[in-house]
Amino acid sequence: MLVHDTVGTARTTAEADQIRTSLRARYDELSAEYEQAVMQSQVLRLVEVGDTAGDDQADSGTKTAERDTAQSLLRTILDRRAQFEHALTRLDEGTYGFCEGCTAPIPVERLEIYPSATACVTCKQNRERRAA
Ligand SMILES: [Zn+2]
């Protein structure tokens, strides 16, 4: 486990519980969203299977686009859910709220907007620059 200089930034158990509750709530929301999106994409597929006989080119193009949209939505939801899962793990480890890159405390204002953030703005930008 990483040792941090937690002076002035140490979280009380009550605070950690509060954060856990809100992270968990978002996680559950995303799970529900995912289930719903899966169901919708299955409906899409059923419609497609039962309805291809009289299709012209334009119709099947639209359906492919709809299916792509549905798949990228599923991926987005899973990615976001994984971020919250990761944040919960870090909360359990006691490293939540500290940057994964430079271990500096992540500003509370940033965590309020992005509760699943695991890197400070500088490290996140560096990472994105490297990935680009
Ligand atoms: Zn950082």
Side-chain angles (χ1 to χ4, degrees), residues 32-54:
E33 264 179 59
Y34 180 72
E35 304 273 301
Q36 209 173 3
V38 167
M39 252 152 36
Q40 272 164 359
S41 69
Q42 276 164 355
V43 168
L44 213 63
R45 216 168 296 150
L46 286 176
V47 168
E48 202 175 334
V49 169
D51 187 33
T52 45

PDB file of all heavy atoms in Angstrom, residues 32-54:
ATOM      1  N   ALA A  32     -27.880  -0.292 -14.327  1.00  0.00           N
ATOM      2  CA  ALA A  32     -29.266  -0.264 -14.810  1.00  0.00           C
ATOM      3  C   ALA A  32     -29.318   0.265 -16.238  1.00  0.00           C
ATOM      4  O   ALA A  32     -30.031  -0.275 -17.094  1.00  0.00           O
ATOM      5  CB  ALA A  32     -30.128   0.593 -13.887  1.00  0.00           C
ATOM      6  N   GLU A  33     -28.537   1.318 -16.500  1.00  0.00           N
ATOM      7  CA  GLU A  33     -28.465   1.883 -17.854  1.00  0.00           C
ATOM      8  C   GLU A  33     -27.963   0.837 -18.837  1.00  0.00           C
ATOM      9  O   GLU A  33     -28.442   0.740 -19.965  1.00  0.00           O
ATOM     10  CB  GLU A  33     -27.488   3.069 -17.888  1.00  0.00           C
ATOM     11  CG  GLU A  33     -28.140   4.424 -17.742  1.00  0.00           C
ATOM     12  CD  GLU A  33     -27.098   5.533 -17.764  1.00  0.00           C
ATOM     13  OE1 GLU A  33     -26.369   5.642 -18.767  1.00  0.00           O
ATOM     14  OE2 GLU A  33     -26.991   6.265 -16.761  1.00  0.00           O
ATOM     15  N   TYR A  34     -26.996   0.077 -18.385  1.00  0.00           N
ATOM     16  CA  TYR A  34     -26.406  -0.947 -19.247  1.00  0.00           C
ATOM     17  C   TYR A  34     -27.443  -2.019 -19.597  1.00  0.00           C
ATOM     18  O   TYR A  34     -27.618  -2.374 -20.749  1.00  0.00           O
ATOM     19  CB  TYR A  34     -25.185  -1.559 -18.569  1.00  0.00           C
ATOM     20  CG  TYR A  34     -24.524  -2.626 -19.410  1.00  0.00           C
ATOM     21  CD1 TYR A  34     -23.801  -2.277 -20.539  1.00  0.00           C
ATOM     22  CD2 TYR A  34     -24.627  -3.968 -19.080  1.00  0.00           C
ATOM     23  CE1 TYR A  34     -23.207  -3.240 -21.333  1.00  0.00           C
ATOM     24  CE2 TYR A  34     -24.030  -4.939 -19.858  1.00  0.00           C
ATOM     25  CZ  TYR A  34     -23.316  -4.575 -20.986  1.00  0.00           C
ATOM     26  OH  TYR A  34     -22.743  -5.529 -21.770  1.00  0.00           O
ATOM     27  N   GLU A  35     -28.141  -2.502 -18.555  1.00  0.00           N
ATOM     28  CA  GLU A  35     -29.181  -3.509 -18.768  1.00  0.00           C
ATOM     29  C   GLU A  35     -30.206  -3.028 -19.792  1.00  0.00           C
ATOM     30  O   GLU A  35     -30.605  -3.771 -20.693  1.00  0.00           O
ATOM     31  CB  GLU A  35     -29.929  -3.795 -17.456  1.00  0.00           C
ATOM     32  CG  GLU A  35     -29.048  -4.216 -16.308  1.00  0.00           C
ATOM     33  CD  GLU A  35     -28.806  -5.719 -16.309  1.00  0.00           C
ATOM     34  OE1 GLU A  35     -29.799  -6.451 -16.238  1.00  0.00           O
ATOM     35  OE2 GLU A  35     -27.643  -6.135 -16.392  1.00  0.00           O
ATOM     36  N   GLN A  36     -30.578  -1.769 -19.626  1.00  0.00           N
ATOM     37  CA  GLN A  36     -31.583  -1.188 -20.500  1.00  0.00           C
ATOM     38  C   GLN A  36     -31.053  -1.100 -21.935  1.00  0.00           C
ATOM     39  O   GLN A  36     -31.767  -1.426 -22.882  1.00  0.00           O
ATOM     40  CB  GLN A  36     -31.922   0.208 -19.989  1.00  0.00           C
ATOM     41  CG  GLN A  36     -33.332   0.611 -20.324  1.00  0.00           C
ATOM     42  CD  GLN A  36     -33.706   1.925 -19.655  1.00  0.00           C
ATOM     43  OE1 GLN A  36     -32.880   2.550 -18.977  1.00  0.00           O
ATOM     44  NE2 GLN A  36     -34.923   2.359 -19.831  1.00  0.00           N
ATOM     45  N   ALA A  37     -29.816  -0.683 -22.076  1.00  0.00           N
ATOM     46  CA  ALA A  37     -29.210  -0.541 -23.401  1.00  0.00           C
ATOM     47  C   ALA A  37     -29.071  -1.903 -24.070  1.00  0.00           C
ATOM     48  O   ALA A  37     -29.270  -2.030 -25.278  1.00  0.00           O
ATOM     49  CB  ALA A  37     -27.859   0.153 -23.287  1.00  0.00           C
ATOM     50  N   VAL A  38     -28.736  -2.919 -23.264  1.00  0.00           N
ATOM     51  CA  VAL A  38     -28.638  -4.278 -23.814  1.00  0.00           C
ATOM     52  C   VAL A  38     -29.991  -4.723 -24.336  1.00  0.00           C
ATOM     53  O   VAL A  38     -30.111  -5.244 -25.446  1.00  0.00           O
ATOM     54  CB  VAL A  38     -28.125  -5.275 -22.739  1.00  0.00           C
ATOM     55  CG1 VAL A  38     -28.328  -6.710 -23.199  1.00  0.00           C
ATOM     56  CG2 VAL A  38     -26.658  -5.021 -22.442  1.00  0.00           C
ATOM     57  N   MET A  39     -31.021  -4.447 -23.537  1.00  0.00           N
ATOM     58  CA  MET A  39     -32.367  -4.833 -23.936  1.00  0.00           C
ATOM     59  C   MET A  39     -32.763  -4.131 -25.232  1.00  0.00           C
ATOM     60  O   MET A  39     -33.315  -4.741 -26.138  1.00  0.00           O
ATOM     61  CB  MET A  39     -33.366  -4.502 -22.832  1.00  0.00           C
ATOM     62  CG  MET A  39     -33.860  -5.734 -22.137  1.00  0.00           C
ATOM     63  SD  MET A  39     -34.372  -5.526 -20.416  1.00  0.00           S
ATOM     64  CE  MET A  39     -35.123  -3.937 -20.351  1.00  0.00           C
ATOM     65  N   GLN A  40     -32.450  -2.851 -25.303  1.00  0.00           N
ATOM     66  CA  GLN A  40     -32.793  -2.087 -26.498  1.00  0.00           C
ATOM     67  C   GLN A  40     -32.065  -2.614 -27.727  1.00  0.00           C
ATOM     68  O   GLN A  40     -32.643  -2.695 -28.796  1.00  0.00           O
ATOM     69  CB  GLN A  40     -32.458  -0.606 -26.292  1.00  0.00           C
ATOM     70  CG  GLN A  40     -33.615   0.147 -25.662  1.00  0.00           C
ATOM     71  CD  GLN A  40     -33.198   1.492 -25.105  1.00  0.00           C
ATOM     72  OE1 GLN A  40     -32.023   1.858 -25.184  1.00  0.00           O
ATOM     73  NE2 GLN A  40     -34.133   2.205 -24.544  1.00  0.00           N
ATOM     74  N   SER A  41     -30.801  -2.974 -27.544  1.00  0.00           N
ATOM     75  CA  SER A  41     -30.057  -3.452 -28.706  1.00  0.00           C
ATOM     76  C   SER A  41     -30.555  -4.825 -29.136  1.00  0.00           C
ATOM     77  O   SER A  41     -30.498  -5.173 -30.304  1.00  0.00           O
ATOM     78  CB  SER A  41     -28.554  -3.474 -28.421  1.00  0.00           C
ATOM     79  OG  SER A  41     -28.252  -4.477 -27.482  1.00  0.00           O
ATOM     80  N   GLN A  42     -31.085  -5.596 -28.163  1.00  0.00           N
ATOM     81  CA  GLN A  42     -31.674  -6.889 -28.529  1.00  0.00           C
ATOM     82  C   GLN A  42     -32.961  -6.695 -29.309  1.00  0.00           C
ATOM     83  O   GLN A  42     -33.206  -7.383 -30.286  1.00  0.00           O
ATOM     84  CB  GLN A  42     -31.925  -7.735 -27.278  1.00  0.00           C
ATOM     85  CG  GLN A  42     -30.665  -8.474 -26.857  1.00  0.00           C
ATOM     86  CD  GLN A  42     -30.742  -9.009 -25.439  1.00  0.00           C
ATOM     87  OE1 GLN A  42     -31.711  -8.750 -24.727  1.00  0.00           O
ATOM     88  NE2 GLN A  42     -29.728  -9.714 -25.016  1.00  0.00           N
ATOM     89  N   VAL A  43     -33.741  -5.718 -28.883  1.00  0.00           N
ATOM     90  CA  VAL A  43     -34.972  -5.385 -29.605  1.00  0.00           C
ATOM     91  C   VAL A  43     -34.625  -4.983 -31.027  1.00  0.00           C
ATOM     92  O   VAL A  43     -35.233  -5.424 -31.993  1.00  0.00           O
ATOM     93  CB  VAL A  43     -35.733  -4.239 -28.887  1.00  0.00           C
ATOM     94  CG1 VAL A  43     -36.850  -3.695 -29.766  1.00  0.00           C
ATOM     95  CG2 VAL A  43     -36.283  -4.724 -27.562  1.00  0.00           C
ATOM     96  N   LEU A  44     -33.591  -4.164 -31.150  1.00  0.00           N
ATOM     97  CA  LEU A  44     -33.114  -3.697 -32.457  1.00  0.00           C
ATOM     98  C   LEU A  44     -32.768  -4.873 -33.351  1.00  0.00           C
ATOM     99  O   LEU A  44     -33.107  -4.915 -34.528  1.00  0.00           O
ATOM    100  CB  LEU A  44     -31.874  -2.839 -32.227  1.00  0.00           C
ATOM    101  CG  LEU A  44     -31.614  -1.660 -33.159  1.00  0.00           C
ATOM    102  CD1 LEU A  44     -32.732  -0.644 -33.041  1.00  0.00           C
ATOM    103  CD2 LEU A  44     -30.292  -1.015 -32.809  1.00  0.00           C
ATOM    104  N   ARG A  45     -32.075  -5.856 -32.753  1.00  0.00           N
ATOM    105  CA  ARG A  45     -31.638  -7.021 -33.511  1.00  0.00           C
ATOM    106  C   ARG A  45     -32.833  -7.867 -33.947  1.00  0.00           C
ATOM    107  O   ARG A  45     -32.876  -8.356 -35.063  1.00  0.00           O
ATOM    108  CB  ARG A  45     -30.670  -7.853 -32.657  1.00  0.00           C
ATOM    109  CG  ARG A  45     -29.562  -8.476 -33.477  1.00  0.00           C
ATOM    110  CD  ARG A  45     -28.486  -9.038 -32.582  1.00  0.00           C
ATOM    111  NE  ARG A  45     -27.821  -7.998 -31.809  1.00  0.00           N
ATOM    112  CZ  ARG A  45     -27.291  -8.190 -30.601  1.00  0.00           C
ATOM    113  NH1 ARG A  45     -27.376  -9.361 -30.027  1.00  0.00           N
ATOM    114  NH2 ARG A  45     -26.687  -7.216 -29.974  1.00  0.00           N
ATOM    115  N   LEU A  46     -33.816  -8.027 -33.054  1.00  0.00           N
ATOM    116  CA  LEU A  46     -35.008  -8.803 -33.382  1.00  0.00           C
ATOM    117  C   LEU A  46     -35.770  -8.156 -34.524  1.00  0.00           C
ATOM    118  O   LEU A  46     -36.205  -8.821 -35.453  1.00  0.00           O
ATOM    119  CB  LEU A  46     -35.911  -8.922 -32.143  1.00  0.00           C
ATOM    120  CG  LEU A  46     -35.426  -9.870 -31.052  1.00  0.00           C
ATOM    121  CD1 LEU A  46     -36.373  -9.815 -29.857  1.00  0.00           C
ATOM    122  CD2 LEU A  46     -35.335 -11.297 -31.579  1.00  0.00           C
ATOM    123  N   VAL A  47     -35.904  -6.838 -34.436  1.00  0.00           N
ATOM    124  CA  VAL A  47     -36.596  -6.100 -35.495  1.00  0.00           C
ATOM    125  C   VAL A  47     -35.876  -6.332 -36.809  1.00  0.00           C
ATOM    126  O   VAL A  47     -36.489  -6.609 -37.832  1.00  0.00           O
ATOM    127  CB  VAL A  47     -36.622  -4.585 -35.159  1.00  0.00           C
ATOM    128  CG1 VAL A  47     -37.075  -3.774 -36.378  1.00  0.00           C
ATOM    129  CG2 VAL A  47     -37.546  -4.318 -33.981  1.00  0.00           C
ATOM    130  N   GLU A  48     -34.562  -6.280 -36.724  1.00  0.00           N
ATOM    131  CA  GLU A  48     -33.737  -6.428 -37.915  1.00  0.00           C
ATOM    132  C   GLU A  48     -33.922  -7.802 -38.554  1.00  0.00           C
ATOM    133  O   GLU A  48     -34.089  -7.933 -39.752  1.00  0.00           O
ATOM    134  CB  GLU A  48     -32.284  -6.254 -37.490  1.00  0.00           C
ATOM    135  CG  GLU A  48     -31.363  -5.859 -38.598  1.00  0.00           C
ATOM    136  CD  GLU A  48     -29.988  -5.605 -38.023  1.00  0.00           C
ATOM    137  OE1 GLU A  48     -29.911  -5.254 -36.833  1.00  0.00           O
ATOM    138  OE2 GLU A  48     -29.021  -5.798 -38.759  1.00  0.00           O
ATOM    139  N   VAL A  49     -33.864  -8.847 -37.713  1.00  0.00           N
ATOM    140  CA  VAL A  49     -33.984 -10.214 -38.204  1.00  0.00           C
ATOM    141  C   VAL A  49     -35.336 -10.443 -38.864  1.00  0.00           C
ATOM    142  O   VAL A  49     -35.431 -11.032 -39.933  1.00  0.00           O
ATOM    143  CB  VAL A  49     -33.774 -11.229 -37.046  1.00  0.00           C
ATOM    144  CG1 VAL A  49     -34.156 -12.635 -37.492  1.00  0.00           C
ATOM    145  CG2 VAL A  49     -32.333 -11.188 -36.576  1.00  0.00           C
ATOM    146  N   GLY A  50     -36.405  -9.939 -38.239  1.00  0.00           N
ATOM    147  CA  GLY A  50     -37.740 -10.186 -38.737  1.00  0.00           C
ATOM    148  C   GLY A  50     -38.139  -9.284 -39.890  1.00  0.00           C
ATOM    149  O   GLY A  50     -39.211  -9.403 -40.431  1.00  0.00           O
ATOM    150  N   ASP A  51     -37.278  -8.386 -40.280  1.00  0.00           N
ATOM    151  CA  ASP A  51     -37.732  -7.258 -41.102  1.00  0.00           C
ATOM    152  C   ASP A  51     -36.768  -6.941 -42.236  1.00  0.00           C
ATOM    153  O   ASP A  51     -36.685  -5.830 -42.699  1.00  0.00           O
ATOM    154  CB  ASP A  51     -37.903  -6.052 -40.154  1.00  0.00           C
ATOM    155  CG  ASP A  51     -38.541  -4.860 -40.851  1.00  0.00           C
ATOM    156  OD1 ASP A  51     -39.369  -5.085 -41.750  1.00  0.00           O
ATOM    157  OD2 ASP A  51     -38.190  -3.739 -40.498  1.00  0.00           O
ATOM    158  N   THR A  52     -35.994  -7.920 -42.673  1.00  0.00           N
ATOM    159  CA  THR A  52     -34.995  -7.621 -43.688  1.00  0.00           C
ATOM    160  C   THR A  52     -35.456  -7.945 -45.102  1.00  0.00           C
ATOM    161  O   THR A  52     -34.816  -7.549 -46.065  1.00  0.00           O
ATOM    162  CB  THR A  52     -33.683  -8.395 -43.421  1.00  0.00           C
ATOM    163  OG1 THR A  52     -34.019  -9.732 -43.099  1.00  0.00           O
ATOM    164  CG2 THR A  52     -32.885  -7.765 -42.293  1.00  0.00           C
ATOM    165  N   ALA A  53     -36.582  -8.667 -45.208  1.00  0.00           N
ATOM    166  CA  ALA A  53     -36.998  -9.176 -46.508  1.00  0.00           C
ATOM    167  C   ALA A  53     -37.160  -8.071 -47.556  1.00  0.00           C
ATOM    168  O   ALA A  53     -36.560  -8.114 -48.621  1.00  0.00           O
ATOM    169  CB  ALA A  53     -38.293  -9.957 -46.369  1.00  0.00           C
ATOM    170  N   GLY A  54     -37.940  -7.067 -47.200  1.00  0.00           N
ATOM    171  CA  GLY A  54     -38.236  -6.051 -48.198  1.00  0.00           C
ATOM    172  C   GLY A  54     -37.343  -4.816 -48.128  1.00  0.00           C
ATOM    173  O   GLY A  54     -37.731  -3.759 -48.588  1.00  0.00           O
TER     174      GLY A  54
END
